[in-house]
PDB file of all heavy atoms in Angstrom:
ATOM      1  N   THR A  11      51.936  -6.148  44.371  1.00 55.00           N
ATOM      2  CA  THR A  11      50.579  -6.517  44.782  1.00 55.00           C
ATOM      3  C   THR A  11      49.567  -5.441  44.400  1.00 55.00           C
ATOM      4  O   THR A  11      48.474  -5.721  43.875  1.00 55.00           O
ATOM      5  CB  THR A  11      50.531  -6.748  46.294  1.00 55.00           C
ATOM      6  OG1 THR A  11      51.459  -7.782  46.643  1.00 55.00           O
ATOM      7  CG2 THR A  11      49.127  -7.157  46.744  1.00 55.00           C
ATOM      8  N   MET A  12      49.880  -4.173  44.611  1.00 60.00           N
ATOM      9  CA  MET A  12      48.990  -3.067  44.255  1.00 60.00           C
ATOM     10  C   MET A  12      48.772  -2.997  42.750  1.00 60.00           C
ATOM     11  O   MET A  12      47.670  -2.729  42.274  1.00 60.00           O
ATOM     12  CB  MET A  12      49.588  -1.748  44.768  1.00 60.00           C
ATOM     13  CG  MET A  12      49.615  -1.632  46.293  1.00 60.00           C
ATOM     14  SD  MET A  12      50.456  -0.145  46.867  1.00 60.00           S
ATOM     15  CE  MET A  12      49.334   1.087  46.209  1.00 60.00           C
ATOM     16  N   ALA A  13      49.831  -3.244  41.992  1.00 52.00           N
ATOM     17  CA  ALA A  13      49.711  -3.210  40.528  1.00 52.00           C
ATOM     18  C   ALA A  13      48.769  -4.295  40.029  1.00 52.00           C
ATOM     19  O   ALA A  13      47.956  -4.098  39.119  1.00 52.00           O
ATOM     20  CB  ALA A  13      51.100  -3.357  39.896  1.00 52.00           C
ATOM     21  N   MET A  14      48.849  -5.505  40.602  1.00 55.00           N
ATOM     22  CA  MET A  14      47.988  -6.607  40.182  1.00 55.00           C
ATOM     23  C   MET A  14      46.538  -6.326  40.533  1.00 55.00           C
ATOM     24  O   MET A  14      45.621  -6.615  39.750  1.00 55.00           O
ATOM     25  CB  MET A  14      48.453  -7.905  40.853  1.00 55.00           C
ATOM     26  CG  MET A  14      49.816  -8.403  40.342  1.00 55.00           C
ATOM     27  SD  MET A  14      50.381  -9.891  41.194  1.00 55.00           S
ATOM     28  CE  MET A  14      49.137 -11.057  40.643  1.00 55.00           C
ATOM     29  N   VAL A  15      46.293  -5.745  41.721  1.00 48.00           N
ATOM     30  CA  VAL A  15      44.915  -5.396  42.107  1.00 48.00           C
ATOM     31  C   VAL A  15      44.332  -4.378  41.145  1.00 48.00           C
ATOM     32  O   VAL A  15      43.190  -4.484  40.693  1.00 48.00           O
ATOM     33  CB  VAL A  15      44.887  -4.852  43.548  1.00 48.00           C
ATOM     34  CG1 VAL A  15      43.507  -4.262  43.869  1.00 48.00           C
ATOM     35  CG2 VAL A  15      45.232  -5.960  44.534  1.00 48.00           C
ATOM     36  N   PHE A  16      45.104  -3.345  40.790  1.00 49.00           N
ATOM     37  CA  PHE A  16      44.652  -2.319  39.841  1.00 49.00           C
ATOM     38  C   PHE A  16      44.345  -2.909  38.470  1.00 49.00           C
ATOM     39  O   PHE A  16      43.364  -2.579  37.821  1.00 49.00           O
ATOM     40  CB  PHE A  16      45.737  -1.241  39.717  1.00 49.00           C
ATOM     41  CG  PHE A  16      45.388  -0.136  38.768  1.00 49.00           C
ATOM     42  CD1 PHE A  16      44.531   0.887  39.162  1.00 49.00           C
ATOM     43  CD2 PHE A  16      45.888  -0.125  37.469  1.00 49.00           C
ATOM     44  CE1 PHE A  16      44.203   1.895  38.290  1.00 49.00           C
ATOM     45  CE2 PHE A  16      45.555   0.892  36.607  1.00 49.00           C
ATOM     46  CZ  PHE A  16      44.712   1.902  36.998  1.00 49.00           C
ATOM     47  N   PHE A  17      45.175  -3.867  38.038  1.00 47.00           N
ATOM     48  CA  PHE A  17      44.994  -4.506  36.733  1.00 47.00           C
ATOM     49  C   PHE A  17      43.680  -5.285  36.675  1.00 47.00           C
ATOM     50  O   PHE A  17      42.892  -5.166  35.734  1.00 47.00           O
ATOM     51  CB  PHE A  17      46.184  -5.431  36.461  1.00 47.00           C
ATOM     52  CG  PHE A  17      46.031  -6.243  35.209  1.00 47.00           C
ATOM     53  CD1 PHE A  17      46.273  -5.695  33.961  1.00 47.00           C
ATOM     54  CD2 PHE A  17      45.622  -7.591  35.274  1.00 47.00           C
ATOM     55  CE1 PHE A  17      46.132  -6.437  32.820  1.00 47.00           C
ATOM     56  CE2 PHE A  17      45.474  -8.327  34.125  1.00 47.00           C
ATOM     57  CZ  PHE A  17      45.725  -7.771  32.895  1.00 47.00           C
ATOM     58  N   PHE A  18      43.403  -6.098  37.706  1.00 45.00           N
ATOM     59  CA  PHE A  18      42.182  -6.908  37.703  1.00 45.00           C
ATOM     60  C   PHE A  18      40.923  -6.052  37.830  1.00 45.00           C
ATOM     61  O   PHE A  18      39.874  -6.367  37.270  1.00 45.00           O
ATOM     62  CB  PHE A  18      42.239  -7.947  38.829  1.00 45.00           C
ATOM     63  CG  PHE A  18      43.147  -9.108  38.527  1.00 45.00           C
ATOM     64  CD1 PHE A  18      44.294  -9.323  39.272  1.00 45.00           C
ATOM     65  CD2 PHE A  18      42.870  -9.980  37.484  1.00 45.00           C
ATOM     66  CE1 PHE A  18      45.136 -10.384  38.977  1.00 45.00           C
ATOM     67  CE2 PHE A  18      43.695 -11.040  37.185  1.00 45.00           C
ATOM     68  CZ  PHE A  18      44.844 -11.244  37.939  1.00 45.00           C
ATOM     69  N   GLN A  19      40.998  -4.939  38.563  1.00 51.00           N
ATOM     70  CA  GLN A  19      39.851  -4.043  38.660  1.00 51.00           C
ATOM     71  C   GLN A  19      39.493  -3.462  37.308  1.00 51.00           C
ATOM     72  O   GLN A  19      38.319  -3.368  36.922  1.00 51.00           O
ATOM     73  CB  GLN A  19      40.140  -2.915  39.656  1.00 51.00           C
ATOM     74  CG  GLN A  19      40.059  -3.347  41.100  1.00 51.00           C
ATOM     75  CD  GLN A  19      40.355  -2.207  42.046  1.00 51.00           C
ATOM     76  OE1 GLN A  19      40.956  -1.198  41.651  1.00 51.00           O
ATOM     77  NE2 GLN A  19      39.949  -2.374  43.299  1.00 51.00           N
ATOM     78  N   ASN A  20      40.487  -3.066  36.535  1.00 50.00           N
ATOM     79  CA  ASN A  20      40.245  -2.524  35.196  1.00 50.00           C
ATOM     80  C   ASN A  20      39.675  -3.564  34.252  1.00 50.00           C
ATOM     81  O   ASN A  20      38.835  -3.279  33.415  1.00 50.00           O
ATOM     82  CB  ASN A  20      41.538  -1.952  34.613  1.00 50.00           C
ATOM     83  CG  ASN A  20      41.844  -0.570  35.150  1.00 50.00           C
ATOM     84  OD1 ASN A  20      40.944   0.239  35.304  1.00 50.00           O
ATOM     85  ND2 ASN A  20      43.103  -0.311  35.458  1.00 50.00           N
ATOM     86  N   CYS A  21      40.149  -4.794  34.375  1.00 47.00           N
ATOM     87  CA  CYS A  21      39.619  -5.876  33.522  1.00 47.00           C
ATOM     88  C   CYS A  21      38.137  -6.107  33.794  1.00 47.00           C
ATOM     89  O   CYS A  21      37.327  -6.259  32.887  1.00 47.00           O
ATOM     90  CB  CYS A  21      40.410  -7.160  33.755  1.00 47.00           C
ATOM     91  SG  CYS A  21      42.075  -7.113  33.066  1.00 47.00           S
ATOM     92  N   ASN A  22      37.761  -6.133  35.072  1.00 47.00           N
ATOM     93  CA  ASN A  22      36.352  -6.333  35.428  1.00 47.00           C
ATOM     94  C   ASN A  22      35.498  -5.178  34.949  1.00 47.00           C
ATOM     95  O   ASN A  22      34.383  -5.353  34.477  1.00 47.00           O
ATOM     96  CB  ASN A  22      36.217  -6.475  36.942  1.00 47.00           C
ATOM     97  CG  ASN A  22      36.825  -7.776  37.452  1.00 47.00           C
ATOM     98  OD1 ASN A  22      36.928  -8.733  36.688  1.00 47.00           O
ATOM     99  ND2 ASN A  22      37.235  -7.805  38.721  1.00 47.00           N
ATOM    100  N   SER A  23      36.022  -3.955  35.057  1.00 43.00           N
ATOM    101  CA  SER A  23      35.268  -2.784  34.598  1.00 43.00           C
ATOM    102  C   SER A  23      35.022  -2.854  33.113  1.00 43.00           C
ATOM    103  O   SER A  23      33.944  -2.546  32.627  1.00 43.00           O
ATOM    104  CB  SER A  23      36.033  -1.496  34.947  1.00 43.00           C
ATOM    105  OG  SER A  23      35.371  -0.377  34.426  1.00 43.00           O
ATOM    106  N   GLY A  24      36.017  -3.294  32.351  1.00 41.00           N
ATOM    107  CA  GLY A  24      35.867  -3.395  30.903  1.00 41.00           C
ATOM    108  C   GLY A  24      34.829  -4.424  30.534  1.00 41.00           C
ATOM    109  O   GLY A  24      34.054  -4.251  29.599  1.00 41.00           O
ATOM    110  N   THR A  25      34.784  -5.529  31.277  1.00 32.00           N
ATOM    111  CA  THR A  25      33.800  -6.572  31.003  1.00 32.00           C
ATOM    112  C   THR A  25      32.397  -6.059  31.229  1.00 32.00           C
ATOM    113  O   THR A  25      31.475  -6.330  30.445  1.00 32.00           O
ATOM    114  CB  THR A  25      34.064  -7.796  31.905  1.00 32.00           C
ATOM    115  OG1 THR A  25      35.389  -8.256  31.682  1.00 32.00           O
ATOM    116  CG2 THR A  25      33.068  -8.908  31.621  1.00 32.00           C
ATOM    117  N   GLU A  26      32.187  -5.262  32.260  1.00 35.00           N
ATOM    118  CA  GLU A  26      30.872  -4.709  32.546  1.00 35.00           C
ATOM    119  C   GLU A  26      30.424  -3.761  31.441  1.00 35.00           C
ATOM    120  O   GLU A  26      29.270  -3.747  31.036  1.00 35.00           O
ATOM    121  CB  GLU A  26      30.898  -3.986  33.888  1.00 35.00           C
ATOM    122  CG  GLU A  26      31.045  -4.937  35.081  1.00 35.00           C
ATOM    123  CD  GLU A  26      31.211  -4.192  36.379  1.00 35.00           C
ATOM    124  OE1 GLU A  26      31.198  -2.944  36.322  1.00 35.00           O
ATOM    125  OE2 GLU A  26      31.350  -4.836  37.427  1.00 35.00           O
ATOM    126  N   LEU A  27      31.337  -2.951  30.897  1.00 28.00           N
ATOM    127  CA  LEU A  27      30.992  -2.021  29.835  1.00 28.00           C
ATOM    128  C   LEU A  27      30.570  -2.761  28.578  1.00 28.00           C
ATOM    129  O   LEU A  27      29.655  -2.361  27.882  1.00 28.00           O
ATOM    130  CB  LEU A  27      32.189  -1.109  29.529  1.00 28.00           C
ATOM    131  CG  LEU A  27      32.506  -0.057  30.587  1.00 28.00           C
ATOM    132  CD1 LEU A  27      33.795   0.665  30.227  1.00 28.00           C
ATOM    133  CD2 LEU A  27      31.360   0.935  30.720  1.00 28.00           C
ATOM    134  N   MET A  28      31.226  -3.857  28.256  1.00 30.00           N
ATOM    135  CA  MET A  28      30.893  -4.605  27.063  1.00 30.00           C
ATOM    136  C   MET A  28      29.511  -5.248  27.156  1.00 30.00           C
ATOM    137  O   MET A  28      28.874  -5.513  26.154  1.00 30.00           O
ATOM    138  CB  MET A  28      31.948  -5.702  26.829  1.00 30.00           C
ATOM    139  CG  MET A  28      33.306  -5.166  26.405  1.00 30.00           C
ATOM    140  SD  MET A  28      33.234  -4.298  24.830  1.00 30.00           S
ATOM    141  CE  MET A  28      32.890  -5.669  23.736  1.00 30.00           C
ATOM    142  N   SER A  29      29.038  -5.507  28.370  1.00 28.00           N
ATOM    143  CA  SER A  29      27.744  -6.181  28.535  1.00 28.00           C
ATOM    144  C   SER A  29      26.576  -5.207  28.528  1.00 28.00           C
ATOM    145  O   SER A  29      25.430  -5.617  28.529  1.00 28.00           O
ATOM    146  CB  SER A  29      27.743  -6.966  29.853  1.00 28.00           C
ATOM    147  OG  SER A  29      27.828  -6.088  30.960  1.00 28.00           O
ATOM    148  N   GLU A  30      26.840  -3.882  28.517  1.00 32.00           N
ATOM    149  CA  GLU A  30      25.756  -2.908  28.502  1.00 32.00           C
ATOM    150  C   GLU A  30      25.054  -2.893  27.153  1.00 32.00           C
ATOM    151  O   GLU A  30      25.638  -3.229  26.125  1.00 32.00           O
ATOM    152  CB  GLU A  30      26.315  -1.510  28.808  1.00 32.00           C
ATOM    153  CG  GLU A  30      26.799  -1.359  30.239  1.00 32.00           C
ATOM    154  CD  GLU A  30      27.361   0.030  30.487  1.00 32.00           C
ATOM    155  OE1 GLU A  30      27.410   0.811  29.509  1.00 32.00           O
ATOM    156  OE2 GLU A  30      27.746   0.316  31.620  1.00 32.00           O
ATOM    157  N   LYS A  31      23.762  -2.450  27.135  1.00 31.00           N
ATOM    158  CA  LYS A  31      23.003  -2.329  25.888  1.00 31.00           C
ATOM    159  C   LYS A  31      23.562  -1.197  25.044  1.00 31.00           C
ATOM    160  O   LYS A  31      23.907  -0.139  25.552  1.00 31.00           O
ATOM    161  CB  LYS A  31      21.522  -2.064  26.190  1.00 31.00           C
ATOM    162  CG  LYS A  31      20.817  -3.235  26.856  1.00 31.00           C
ATOM    163  CD  LYS A  31      19.362  -2.906  27.073  1.00 31.00           C
ATOM    164  CE  LYS A  31      18.633  -4.065  27.717  1.00 31.00           C
ATOM    165  NZ  LYS A  31      17.201  -3.745  27.930  1.00 31.00           N
ATOM    166  N   ILE A  32      23.628  -1.424  23.765  1.00 28.00           N
ATOM    167  CA  ILE A  32      24.115  -0.395  22.853  1.00 28.00           C
ATOM    168  C   ILE A  32      22.985   0.581  22.569  1.00 28.00           C
ATOM    169  O   ILE A  32      21.890   0.171  22.175  1.00 28.00           O
ATOM    170  CB  ILE A  32      24.604  -1.019  21.535  1.00 28.00           C
ATOM    171  CG1 ILE A  32      25.751  -1.991  21.836  1.00 28.00           C
ATOM    172  CG2 ILE A  32      25.044   0.052  20.553  1.00 28.00           C
ATOM    173  CD1 ILE A  32      26.213  -2.754  20.634  1.00 28.00           C
ATOM    174  N   PRO A  33      23.194   1.885  22.768  1.00 32.00           N
ATOM    175  CA  PRO A  33      22.124   2.876  22.533  1.00 32.00           C
ATOM    176  C   PRO A  33      21.583   2.779  21.113  1.00 32.00           C
ATOM    177  O   PRO A  33      22.341   2.651  20.152  1.00 32.00           O
ATOM    178  CB  PRO A  33      22.836   4.209  22.775  1.00 32.00           C
ATOM    179  CG  PRO A  33      23.994   3.871  23.650  1.00 32.00           C
ATOM    180  CD  PRO A  33      24.434   2.498  23.243  1.00 32.00           C
ATOM    181  N   GLY A  34      20.232   2.831  21.000  1.00 31.00           N
ATOM    182  CA  GLY A  34      19.618   2.816  19.672  1.00 31.00           C
ATOM    183  C   GLY A  34      19.156   1.454  19.223  1.00 31.00           C
ATOM    184  O   GLY A  34      18.425   1.321  18.246  1.00 31.00           O
ATOM    185  N   LEU A  35      19.611   0.391  19.923  1.00 28.00           N
ATOM    186  CA  LEU A  35      19.217  -0.953  19.513  1.00 28.00           C
ATOM    187  C   LEU A  35      18.132  -1.534  20.401  1.00 28.00           C
ATOM    188  O   LEU A  35      17.645  -2.616  20.161  1.00 28.00           O
ATOM    189  CB  LEU A  35      20.438  -1.889  19.543  1.00 28.00           C
ATOM    190  CG  LEU A  35      21.537  -1.584  18.529  1.00 28.00           C
ATOM    191  CD1 LEU A  35      22.613  -2.646  18.609  1.00 28.00           C
ATOM    192  CD2 LEU A  35      20.982  -1.508  17.120  1.00 28.00           C
ATOM    193  N   GLU A  36      17.757  -0.831  21.473  1.00 31.00           N
ATOM    194  CA  GLU A  36      16.712  -1.346  22.350  1.00 31.00           C
ATOM    195  C   GLU A  36      15.391  -1.448  21.598  1.00 31.00           C
ATOM    196  O   GLU A  36      15.031  -0.575  20.840  1.00 31.00           O
ATOM    197  CB  GLU A  36      16.521  -0.424  23.567  1.00 31.00           C
ATOM    198  CG  GLU A  36      17.741  -0.345  24.468  1.00 31.00           C
ATOM    199  CD  GLU A  36      18.694   0.751  24.035  1.00 31.00           C
ATOM    200  OE1 GLU A  36      18.455   1.338  22.968  1.00 31.00           O
ATOM    201  OE2 GLU A  36      19.653   1.005  24.755  1.00 31.00           O
ATOM    202  N   GLY A  37      14.670  -2.540  21.829  1.00 29.00           N
ATOM    203  CA  GLY A  37      13.329  -2.675  21.282  1.00 29.00           C
ATOM    204  C   GLY A  37      13.266  -3.223  19.871  1.00 29.00           C
ATOM    205  O   GLY A  37      12.194  -3.400  19.320  1.00 29.00           O
ATOM    206  N   ILE A  38      14.410  -3.493  19.241  1.00 28.00           N
ATOM    207  CA  ILE A  38      14.372  -4.039  17.887  1.00 28.00           C
ATOM    208  C   ILE A  38      13.940  -5.493  17.951  1.00 28.00           C
ATOM    209  O   ILE A  38      14.464  -6.281  18.735  1.00 28.00           O
ATOM    210  CB  ILE A  38      15.755  -3.932  17.212  1.00 28.00           C
ATOM    211  CG1 ILE A  38      16.025  -2.471  16.870  1.00 28.00           C
ATOM    212  CG2 ILE A  38      15.831  -4.789  15.969  1.00 28.00           C
ATOM    213  CD1 ILE A  38      17.322  -2.250  16.144  1.00 28.00           C
ATOM    214  N   ASN A  39      12.971  -5.848  17.137  1.00 34.00           N
ATOM    215  CA  ASN A  39      12.436  -7.201  17.099  1.00 34.00           C
ATOM    216  C   ASN A  39      13.150  -7.976  16.007  1.00 34.00           C
ATOM    217  O   ASN A  39      13.024  -7.670  14.826  1.00 34.00           O
ATOM    218  CB  ASN A  39      10.925  -7.144  16.823  1.00 34.00           C
ATOM    219  CG  ASN A  39      10.284  -8.505  16.982  1.00 34.00           C
ATOM    220  OD1 ASN A  39      10.881  -9.530  16.697  1.00 34.00           O
ATOM    221  ND2 ASN A  39       9.042  -8.489  17.457  1.00 34.00           N
ATOM    222  N   ASN A  40      13.931  -8.991  16.407  1.00 34.00           N
ATOM    223  CA  ASN A  40      14.700  -9.739  15.419  1.00 34.00           C
ATOM    224  C   ASN A  40      13.813 -10.452  14.425  1.00 34.00           C
ATOM    225  O   ASN A  40      14.167 -10.633  13.265  1.00 34.00           O
ATOM    226  CB  ASN A  40      15.608 -10.758  16.126  1.00 34.00           C
ATOM    227  CG  ASN A  40      16.747 -10.084  16.869  1.00 34.00           C
ATOM    228  OD1 ASN A  40      17.194  -9.018  16.456  1.00 34.00           O
ATOM    229  ND2 ASN A  40      17.206 -10.684  17.973  1.00 34.00           N
ATOM    230  N   SER A  41      12.623 -10.873  14.872  1.00 36.00           N
ATOM    231  CA  SER A  41      11.719 -11.566  13.953  1.00 36.00           C
ATOM    232  C   SER A  41      11.247 -10.628  12.849  1.00 36.00           C
ATOM    233  O   SER A  41      11.041 -11.032  11.710  1.00 36.00           O
ATOM    234  CB  SER A  41      10.507 -12.120  14.717  1.00 36.00           C
ATOM    235  OG  SER A  41       9.766 -11.072  15.309  1.00 36.00           O
TER     236      SER A  41
END
Side-chain angles (χ1 to χ4, degrees):
T11 301
M12 293 175 65
M14 291 177 66
V15 170
F16 180 79
F17 174 79
F18 284 115
Q19 284 180 341
N20 280 320
C21 288
N22 291 336
S23 176
T25 303
E26 290 174 0
L27 288 174
M28 290 297 292
S29 65
E30 291 179 357
K31 293 182 179 180
I32 300 174
L35 294 184
E36 296 89 353
I38 288 183
N39 189 326
N40 289 330
S41 62

